[in-house]
Amino acid sequence: MLYMDKYIQKLNSADFANMYGDDFFLTWEKTRDELDAVFIVADALRYLRENNISAKIFDSGLAISLFRDNSTRTRFSFASACNLLGLEVQDLDEGKSQIAHGETVRETANMISFMADVIGIRDDMYIGKGNAYMRQVVKAVKEGARDGILEQRPTLVNLQCDIDHPTQVMADTAHIIREFGGVENLKGKKIAMTWAYSPSYGKPLSVPQGVIGLMTRFGMDVTLAYPEGYEVMSGVEDIARKHAAESGGSFNKTNSMEEAFKDADIVYPKSWAPFKAMEKRTELYGNNNFTGISTLEKELLAQNSTHKNWECTEEMMRLTKGGKALYLHCLPADISGVSCEAGEVSASVFDRYRVPLYKQASFKPYVIAAMIFLSKVRDPQSTLANLETRATLRKIL
Amino acid sequence: MLYMDKYIQKLNSADFANMYGDDFFLTWEKTRDELDAVFIVADALRYLRENNISAKIFDSGLAISLFRDNSTRTRFSFASACNLLGLEVQDLDEGKSQIAHGETVRETANMISFMADVIGIRDDMYIGKGNAYMRQVVKAVKEGARDGILEQRPTLVNLQCDIDHPTQVMADTAHIIREFGGVENLKGKKIAMTWAYSPSYGKPLSVPQGVIGLMTRFGMDVTLAYPEGYEVMSGVEDIARKHAAESGGSFNKTNSMEEAFKDADIVYPKSWAPFKAMEKRTELYGNNNFTGISTLEKELLAQNSTHKNWECTEEMMRLTKGGKALYLHCLPADISGVSCEAGEVSASVFDRYRVPLYKQASFKPYVIAAMIFLSKVRDPQSTLANLETRATLRKIL
Amino acid sequence: MLYMDKYIQKLNSADFANMYGDDFFLTWEKTRDELDAVFIVADALRYLRENNISAKIFDSGLAISLFRDNSTRTRFSFASACNLLGLEVQDLDEGKSQIAHGETVRETANMISFMADVIGIRDDMYIGKGNAYMRQVVKAVKEGARDGILEQRPTLVNLQCDIDHPTQVMADTAHIIREFGGVENLKGKKIAMTWAYSPSYGKPLSVPQGVIGLMTRFGMDVTLAYPEGYEVMSGVEDIARKHAAESGGSFNKTNSMEEAFKDADIVYPKSWAPFKAMEKRTELYGNNNFTGISTLEKELLAQNSTHKNWECTEEMMRLTKGGKALYLHCLPADISGVSCEAGEVSASVFDRYRVPLYKQASFKPYVIAAMIFLSKVRDPQSTLANLETRATLRKIL
């Protein structure tokens, strides 16, 4: 009997045909069935690796990465996912490239893609830019494939943009699915996506936006909490409201961290910058107004420092369901007394949740691999079965 | 029936036995048969990949890259070629190395080559240096292999030097062969390799030199055009003249862009720096004379700016054969009104030729792979046949 | 008949069971049998590669490298070793990472290891730090594997720390074993590990410490020579003394280069910084006392320059056994009149020994691969036999 059967059965009842040859920009562009397919394939690939069975579906081929911001977790998760499937990562380090501005996105996209099966991009710094850039890249390579320039059309995986952080929040969801024993058990669970104090400014909005856009798909009660002035992109709130209505869950906002934590099953306290301020910063950068940026940063730090009480302490955790909510973070966290004087979370809370936090992160490589797999493999069920039957050892014992 | 037969038949009528175990420094060191073998193998490898058949001839092994100048196209072409054949690229980033000067070229060459099958080097900045450096590297690894230090002798692929840019101009030629329906159809075609205005100074001479050194091999009428003072290396002109005589083509020079474009089948308008100025700059760098360099750069920019009329406009294109010459560029181009105020080519000409330009670039990975293949494989015909028969899928469908 | 039999027979008489799943921090934490196993497996892997037989034991998987100091030889040796076994190297470039300080070693170690089979670290700059850091990393990934965060427990290979440089000195030993015709022939041979003048300050102590800690295992007469004030870590001297007593060799110290060279079979003249000065420098860095560091460096250079006579000249070489001692260096060497005005070795001595020096370096990839192999493969003898029987070509001929 094939162990893959379990995953294949689940896939058989989902409709994800449109994922073949498609990209992954934003979770809300995917149907529930498609998201479920990612979770199922991620589990299947993890099962194969844990049992020392190779999941290589590529004999050769490149995966291009482009990080416009520092990254450890996402960089290594992407490298792991690509290696698992048989692709070699080639980093497009813009500092070592001849990349010019404006017009040449189209050109660069084609020039790096002659043998690229995947392009992973992280571009989260400027409002209105990151996701738009990714779409330009995809448009360019689609045309390149159509025009006979490229042999294959590389799939884009959004490794974080200004709007969403799909590989992160899909990994977060895979983690809570595992912790709560199934995606069906998420229904009715309360998750508090709350702002938290950090001594740094300008942290991206993609995680809170990604969380409210995704977690509302599963019938959860999603509460977004932040001090007045720390609003997120309103369009994503609209999406969250719509999702909550469709899934039988709820989407609420509050300016009280306590209210959000009250009876929560899951808490996700994390700093971010006000959307309006990020818009303004993007504009200032556009005008090369560096004194303006410097002034804005000072204002943001000052604004942050009036909210040092937004910290995930043991006292706060006691407000949660049975005092035992699952604590999430995308890492690295600002830990009070450890990585900074005062931060997002107290050392004792962080320490207590260290193992589940690291497990949360461990889903990202498999989520990315599943996104690639579903885009590249025509018949995922039979390929999974074949991988198990082929039974190539990942490592000689 | 094997599809590879077509390529194998062509290879059977060419003599390229000396390529086995050899390097690729300059196109004019290769016979016509050897160049043809590169084009044929490049086509065969492209055919295999387009049909999802693996062309891996290495189970493991390293390809070392050394870029002494920024690069996108060549970097990714080299990475693609090596990945196609089964080699992992390891970049020698001199900034992260302990590489000293002078004496240690020999040492470094051996230290990076213990498991290296290929070394690709780009070193185009200083006259008299780049190609010479490559030969030092090859001398060192030959001795290393002879002396039992290295298990294998890595093959050098010149990824651009001060004299030639063989992977570029071989890819350019592969492109025009495809566009004109066969290498035999190049005979009598007129190509205009012309200078064009750019607001930057000091662009390498390797492309114009490579073009006149190579295109004269095929019986083409090669016209080199530039404003007075923008001479290229005279030794390469001698080679072009000799080739033209041998192949029944011609090699002409003019100081008129119009004359060059007149009735041309192919135009290649591209900026470069005067050879004499580059020689002078090399000398100034050698003496650490930075004020001298700064003065020279100002002079070159001023000199350039007196030739803004050297632009590939629609009007200029109308002078070509039927107004329909094939426009070539090694990219990135300086496009007037797009990447700069005034540049090498007008936006409308560039836009019209975008697809063929990107196709031109798409040959480079295959040309590089073919150079490696012919150096590493003892019996290319039978290996190509075996690859098709083996029929390992490049990607599970 | 299997050629691997020769190596398998040797392995059968050694007890190295504890190496499975273990790390390689310091040579003196390994038994003689375990060190012998490394030499034997290194030889076997070299034999396979020289005979074009693949030694890939991994179908996929990552090897993480972290270099906190510039490196060419070790970087490429590590890349070669990992590629030989089937692992793809992913470099953790701390400049491109979100790595913070202190607490997060544990976090980073897990975040990079989701699919990592090996972690190679070079961290040799600060006394009391490098080796300690590696142990923190190993502790973290052991916990990660235990807690179900990591699928596999990556093996650490110490690529140079403040105490030892095991891959270097094991490669050095593999070289002298080959030169003297067997490990048993090292007994009674005299090796002079001597300080030598260099115009640079602050060279690591890991090589002299590694040499006296390792070479005393084989019954050799090990003499450590340096000008007064250039003491190495006293704890390692204690280890050397103990090893010499156990193996029937000797460990002596002297402040005379001549005395050390006298009748030596092997000489290893190489600059290093005084241990006490490196301790002080570490402390100054800890306090961000940059003027203190600057003062210290000036003092060290001045101190060095009083010992310019510590140079490995032809005259010095004539003092050695029959004037024909084997000259060793970890490279790059400071060669008088070549890479500096006055340095560690005269040009004529260096030139005469160039080939053996490069051969010495050529063992490092195999030594690293053997360390990984013995940690990852449960039954090395049968795996070696299987690799030969499988006989996958490394390269299609």
Side-chain angles (χ1 to χ4, degrees):
Chain A
M1 200 212 69
L2 292 176
Y3 284 97
M4 281 296 108
D5 270 356
K6 179 174 134 194
Y7 306 104
I8 291 166
Q9 295 306 329
K10 286 189 188 178
L11 286 173
N12 284 342
S13 62
D15 174 9
F16 53 88
N18 289 336
M19 297 186 89
Y20 182 64
D22 206 3
D23 305 285
F24 211 109
F25 289 115
L26 300 167
T27 64
W28 46 88
E29 292 176 346
K30 302 294 175 193
T31 66
R32 253 304 299 275
D33 272 14
E34 290 170 350
L35 299 178
D36 286 348
V38 173
F39 297 131
I40 298 162
V41 171
D43 274 355
L45 294 174
R46 187 162 198 156
Y47 178 88
L48 289 173
R49 197 169 201 280
E50 286 175 347
N51 289 279
N52 200 31
I53 300 170
S54 169
K56 269 173 101 162
I57 56 171
F58 295 97
D59 152 88
S60 55
L62 296 181
I64 313 300
S65 62
L66 171 51
F67 287 88
R68 290 181 152 176
D69 197 1
N70 282 343
S71 171
T72 304
R73 267 146 284 272
T74 304
R75 185 182 286 277
F76 278 80
S77 291
F78 184 69
S80 297
C82 294
N83 178 272
L84 178 77
L85 300 177
L87 297 173
E88 185 184 346
V89 173
Q90 184 70 15
D91 192 48
L92 176 60
D93 183 333
E94 291 178 306
K96 292 183 184 171
S97 291
Q98 294 183 328
I99 295 168
H101 300 290
E103 199 271 339
T104 54
V105 172
R106 183 164 167 196
E107 190 166 306
T108 304
N110 274 282
M111 295 302 121
I112 61 176
S113 297
F114 295 131
M115 296 193 188
D117 289 291
V118 179
I119 302 178
I121 300 179
R122 175 169 186 170
D123 188 348
D124 58 350
M125 302 289 278
Y126 305 113
I127 302 300
K129 308 288 183 191
N131 200 271
Y133 174 78
M134 294 177 196
R135 292 187 196 260
Q136 278 184 286
V137 167
V138 164
K139 183 167 180 287
V141 295
K142 274 186 175 169
E143 289 171 357
R146 179 199 67 198
D147 295 338
I149 294 157
L150 307 178
E151 249 80 75
Q152 72 296 312
R153 205 281 266 179
T155 297
L156 187 122
V157 178
N158 173 357
L159 298 177
Q160 188 170 3
C161 71
D162 50 322
I163 305 175
D164 196 5
H165 193 343
T167 65
Q168 178 66 46
V169 295
M170 288 292 284
D172 297 342
T173 307
H175 173 58
I176 62 175
I177 289 172
R178 180 85 54 120
E179 292 293 320
F180 287 87
V183 68
E184 62 283 3
N185 296 338
L186 299 186
K187 200 163 181 68
K189 294 291 182 300
K190 179 178 179 185
I191 177 167
M193 177 73 238
T194 86
W195 192 85
Y197 170 72
S198 158
S200 77
Y201 60 87
K203 296 218 174 186
L205 290 138
S206 54
V207 167
Q209 291 172 174
V211 164
I212 65 169
L214 179 60
M215 302 290 183
T216 44
R217 307 289 286 273
F218 308 103
M220 297 177 81
D221 293 330
V222 178
T223 299
L224 179 67
Y226 50 80
E228 216 170 315
Y230 285 80
E231 280 72 21
V232 304
M233 192 180 261
S234 64
V236 183
E237 289 188 358
D238 295 342
I239 286 163
R241 241 170 254 118
K242 181 172 147 283
H243 284 167
E246 288 167 3
S247 75
S250 66
F251 173 63
N252 297 295
K253 295 204 292 175
T254 170
N255 293 137
S256 158
M257 194 182 191
E258 287 77 9
E259 190 184 321
F261 266 55
K262 180 133 202 336
D263 291 325
D265 299 278
I266 304 165
V267 295
Y268 205 144
K270 199 213 157 296
S271 193
W272 66 79
F275 179 70
K276 296 285 180 206
M278 289 299 93
E279 269 194 325
K280 195 173 167 189
R281 191 168 73 149
T282 301
E283 199 191 317
L284 292 167
Y285 267 109
N287 301 328
N288 290 313
N289 183 345
F290 295 108
T291 50
I293 291 163
S294 174
T295 307
L296 178 63
E297 289 174 356
K298 271 179 212 132
E299 286 168 11
L300 287 173
L301 283 173
Q303 188 184 358
N304 274 11
S305 68
T306 63
H307 304 295
K308 289 197 179 174
N309 56 324
W310 286 69
E311 182 189 353
C312 180
T313 58
E314 293 288 6
E315 199 184 342
M316 287 296 302
M317 287 302 289
R318 276 193 287 274
L319 297 175
T320 68
K321 177 85 60 63
K324 289 185 171 175
L326 184 64
Y327 166 78
L328 302 184
H329 200 286
C330 53
L331 303 178
D334 289 319
I335 306 164
S336 303
V338 178
S339 51
C340 56
E341 208 182 312
E344 299 168 309
V345 59
S346 76
S348 93
V349 171
F350 189 86
D351 268 356
R352 204 148 48 77
Y353 285 94
R354 189 186 299 276
V355 169
L357 279 171
Y358 291 1
K359 278 190 186 168
Q360 175 187 351
S362 77
F363 286 94
K364 202 186 274 181
Y366 295 104
V367 159
I368 295 172
M371 290 172 178
I372 297 170
F373 193 94
L374 286 160
S375 173
K376 292 300 183 185
V377 168
R378 198 170 287 157
D379 182 349
Q381 289 96 319
S382 82
T383 298
L384 287 174
N386 289 342
L387 288 174
E388 190 178 7
T389 312
R390 183 179 75 177
T392 304
L393 296 184
R394 205 279 297 176
K395 165 173 109 74
I396 293 183
L397 287 177
Chain B
M1 199 212 69
L2 293 176
Y3 285 97
M4 282 297 108
D5 270 356
K6 179 173 133 194
Y7 307 104
I8 291 167
Q9 295 305 331
K10 285 189 188 179
L11 286 173
N12 284 342
S13 62
D15 174 8
F16 53 88
N18 289 336
M19 297 186 89
Y20 182 65
D22 206 3
D23 305 285
F24 211 108
F25 289 115
L26 300 167
T27 65
W28 45 89
E29 293 176 344
K30 302 293 175 194
T31 66
R32 253 303 301 273
D33 272 14
E34 290 170 350
L35 299 179
D36 286 347
V38 173
F39 297 130
I40 298 163
V41 171
D43 274 356
L45 294 175
R46 187 163 197 154
Y47 177 89
L48 289 173
R49 196 169 203 280
E50 287 176 346
N51 288 279
N52 200 32
I53 300 170
S54 168
K56 269 173 101 162
I57 54 170
F58 296 97
D59 151 87
S60 55
L62 296 181
I64 313 300
S65 62
L66 171 51
F67 287 88
R68 290 180 152 176
D69 197 1
N70 281 344
S71 171
T72 304
R73 268 147 283 271
T74 303
R75 185 183 284 277
F76 278 80
S77 292
F78 184 70
S80 297
C82 293
N83 178 273
L84 179 77
L85 300 177
L87 297 173
E88 185 184 346
V89 173
Q90 183 71 13
D91 192 47
L92 176 59
D93 182 333
E94 290 179 306
K96 292 183 184 171
S97 292
Q98 295 184 327
I99 295 169
H101 300 289
E103 199 271 340
T104 54
V105 171
R106 183 164 168 196
E107 191 167 304
T108 304
N110 275 281
M111 295 303 120
I112 61 175
S113 297
F114 295 131
M115 296 192 189
D117 289 291
V118 179
I119 302 178
I121 299 179
R122 175 169 185 171
D123 187 348
D124 59 350
M125 302 289 279
Y126 306 113
I127 301 300
K129 309 288 184 191
N131 200 271
Y133 173 78
M134 294 176 196
R135 292 188 196 260
Q136 277 185 285
V137 168
V138 164
K139 183 167 180 288
V141 295
K142 274 186 176 170
E143 290 172 356
R146 178 199 66 197
D147 295 337
I149 295 157
L150 307 178
E151 248 81 75
Q152 71 296 311
R153 204 281 265 181
T155 296
L156 187 122
V157 178
N158 174 356
L159 298 176
Q160 188 170 2
C161 70
D162 50 322
I163 304 174
D164 195 4
H165 193 343
T167 65
Q168 177 66 46
V169 295
M170 287 292 286
D172 297 342
T173 307
H175 173 58
I176 62 176
I177 289 172
R178 180 86 53 121
E179 292 293 319
F180 287 86
V183 68
E184 62 283 4
N185 296 338
L186 299 186
K187 199 162 182 68
K189 295 290 183 298
K190 179 179 179 185
I191 178 167
M193 177 74 238
T194 87
W195 192 87
Y197 170 73
S198 159
S200 76
Y201 60 87
K203 296 217 174 187
L205 291 139
S206 54
V207 167
Q209 291 172 174
V211 165
I212 64 169
L214 178 61
M215 303 289 182
T216 44
R217 306 288 286 273
F218 308 104
M220 297 177 81
D221 293 330
V222 177
T223 299
L224 178 67
Y226 49 80
E228 215 169 317
Y230 286 80
E231 280 72 23
V232 304
M233 193 180 261
S234 64
V236 183
E237 290 188 359
D238 295 341
I239 286 163
R241 241 171 255 119
K242 180 172 148 283
H243 285 166
E246 287 168 2
S247 75
S250 66
F251 174 62
N252 298 296
K253 295 203 294 174
T254 171
N255 293 136
S256 158
M257 194 181 190
E258 286 77 8
E259 190 184 321
F261 267 56
K262 180 134 204 332
D263 291 327
D265 298 279
I266 305 164
V267 295
Y268 204 144
K270 199 215 158 294
S271 192
W272 67 78
F275 179 70
K276 296 286 180 204
M278 289 300 93
E279 269 193 325
K280 195 173 168 190
R281 190 167 73 148
T282 301
E283 198 191 319
L284 292 167
Y285 268 109
N287 301 328
N288 290 312
N289 184 345
F290 295 108
T291 51
I293 291 163
S294 174
T295 306
L296 177 65
E297 289 174 355
K298 270 181 213 131
E299 287 168 12
L300 287 173
L301 283 172
Q303 188 185 357
N304 274 10
S305 68
T306 63
H307 304 296
K308 290 198 178 173
N309 56 324
W310 286 70
E311 183 189 353
C312 181
T313 59
E314 292 289 6
E315 199 184 343
M316 288 296 303
M317 287 303 288
R318 275 194 286 275
L319 297 174
T320 67
K321 177 84 60 62
K324 289 186 171 174
L326 184 63
Y327 166 78
L328 302 184
H329 199 285
C330 54
L331 304 176
D334 289 320
I335 307 163
S336 303
V338 178
S339 50
C340 55
E341 208 182 312
E344 298 168 310
V345 59
S346 77
S348 93
V349 172
F350 189 85
D351 268 357
R352 204 146 50 76
Y353 284 95
R354 189 186 300 275
V355 170
L357 279 170
Y358 291 1
K359 278 190 185 166
Q360 175 187 353
S362 77
F363 286 94
K364 201 185 275 180
Y366 295 104
V367 159
I368 295 172
M371 290 172 178
I372 297 170
F373 193 95
L374 286 160
S375 173
K376 292 300 183 184
V377 168
R378 198 170 285 156
D379 181 349
Q381 290 96 320
S382 81
T383 298
L384 287 174
N386 289 342
L387 288 174
E388 189 178 5
T389 313
R390 183 180 74 178
T392 304
L393 295 184
R394 206 280 297 177
K395 165 173 109 73
I396 292 183
L397 286 177
Chain C
M1 202 211 68
L2 292 176
Y3 285 98
M4 281 296 109
D5 270 355
K6 179 173 132 194
Y7 307 104
I8 291 167
Q9 295 306 329
K10 285 189 189 178
L11 286 173
N12 284 343
S13 61
D15 175 8
F16 53 88
N18 288 335
M19 298 186 89
Y20 182 64
D22 206 4
D23 305 284
F24 211 109
F25 289 115
L26 300 166
T27 63
W28 46 87
E29 293 176 344
K30 302 294 174 193
T31 65
R32 252 303 301 274
D33 272 14
E34 290 170 351
L35 299 179
D36 286 348
V38 173
F39 298 131
I40 298 163
V41 171
D43 274 355
L45 294 174
R46 188 162 197 155
Y47 178 88
L48 289 173
R49 196 169 203 280
E50 286 175 347
N51 288 279
N52 199 32
I53 299 171
S54 168
K56 269 174 101 162
I57 55 170
F58 296 97
D59 153 87
S60 55
L62 296 181
I64 313 301
S65 62
L66 170 51
F67 287 88
R68 291 182 151 175
D69 197 1
N70 282 343
S71 171
T72 305
R73 268 147 283 271
T74 304
R75 184 183 286 277
F76 278 79
S77 292
F78 184 69
S80 297
C82 293
N83 178 272
L84 179 77
L85 299 177
L87 297 173
E88 185 184 345
V89 173
Q90 184 69 14
D91 192 47
L92 175 60
D93 183 333
E94 291 179 306
K96 292 183 183 171
S97 292
Q98 294 183 329
I99 294 168
H101 299 289
E103 198 272 338
T104 54
V105 172
R106 183 165 168 194
E107 190 166 305
T108 304
N110 275 282
M111 295 302 119
I112 61 176
S113 297
F114 296 131
M115 296 193 188
D117 289 291
V118 179
I119 302 178
I121 300 179
R122 175 168 186 171
D123 187 348
D124 58 350
M125 301 290 277
Y126 306 113
I127 301 300
K129 309 288 183 190
N131 199 271
Y133 173 78
M134 294 176 196
R135 292 186 197 260
Q136 277 184 287
V137 168
V138 164
K139 183 166 179 287
V141 295
K142 273 186 176 171
E143 289 171 357
R146 179 199 67 196
D147 295 337
I149 294 157
L150 307 178
E151 248 82 75
Q152 72 296 311
R153 204 281 265 180
T155 296
L156 187 123
V157 178
N158 173 356
L159 298 176
Q160 187 169 3
C161 70
D162 49 322
I163 305 174
D164 195 4
H165 193 344
T167 65
Q168 178 66 47
V169 295
M170 288 293 284
D172 297 342
T173 307
H175 173 58
I176 62 175
I177 289 172
R178 180 85 54 121
E179 293 292 319
F180 287 87
V183 67
E184 62 282 3
N185 297 337
L186 300 186
K187 201 163 182 69
K189 295 289 182 300
K190 179 179 179 185
I191 178 167
M193 177 74 237
T194 87
W195 191 87
Y197 170 73
S198 159
S200 78
Y201 60 87
K203 296 217 174 187
L205 291 139
S206 54
V207 167
Q209 292 172 174
V211 164
I212 64 169
L214 179 60
M215 302 289 182
T216 45
R217 306 290 286 273
F218 308 103
M220 297 177 81
D221 293 330
V222 178
T223 300
L224 178 67
Y226 49 80
E228 216 170 315
Y230 285 80
E231 280 72 22
V232 304
M233 192 180 262
S234 64
V236 183
E237 290 188 359
D238 295 342
I239 286 163
R241 242 170 254 120
K242 180 173 147 282
H243 284 167
E246 288 167 4
S247 74
S250 66
F251 174 62
N252 298 294
K253 295 203 293 174
T254 170
N255 294 137
S256 159
M257 196 181 189
E258 286 77 8
E259 189 184 322
F261 267 55
K262 181 133 201 337
D263 291 326
D265 299 279
I266 305 164
V267 296
Y268 205 143
K270 199 215 157 294
S271 193
W272 67 78
F275 179 69
K276 296 285 180 206
M278 289 299 94
E279 268 194 325
K280 194 173 168 192
R281 191 168 74 147
T282 301
E283 197 192 319
L284 292 167
Y285 267 109
N287 301 327
N288 289 313
N289 183 346
F290 295 108
T291 50
I293 292 163
S294 175
T295 306
L296 178 64
E297 289 174 356
K298 270 179 213 132
E299 287 168 11
L300 287 173
L301 283 172
Q303 187 185 357
N304 274 10
S305 68
T306 62
H307 304 296
K308 289 198 178 173
N309 56 324
W310 285 70
E311 183 189 352
C312 182
T313 58
E314 293 289 4
E315 199 184 343
M316 288 296 303
M317 288 302 290
R318 275 194 286 276
L319 297 175
T320 68
K321 177 84 61 62
K324 289 186 171 175
L326 184 64
Y327 166 78
L328 302 184
H329 199 285
C330 54
L331 302 177
D334 290 319
I335 307 163
S336 303
V338 179
S339 50
C340 56
E341 208 181 312
E344 298 169 309
V345 59
S346 76
S348 94
V349 171
F350 189 85
D351 268 357
R352 204 146 49 76
Y353 284 94
R354 190 187 300 275
V355 170
L357 278 170
Y358 291 2
K359 278 190 184 166
Q360 175 188 351
S362 77
F363 287 95
K364 202 186 274 180
Y366 295 104
V367 158
I368 295 173
M371 289 172 177
I372 298 171
F373 193 95
L374 286 161
S375 173
K376 291 301 183 186
V377 168
R378 197 170 286 156
D379 181 350
Q381 288 97 318
S382 81
T383 298
L384 288 174
N386 289 343
L387 288 175
E388 189 178 6
T389 312
R390 184 179 76 178
T392 304
L393 294 184
R394 205 279 296 176
K395 166 172 108 75
I396 292 183
L397 287 177

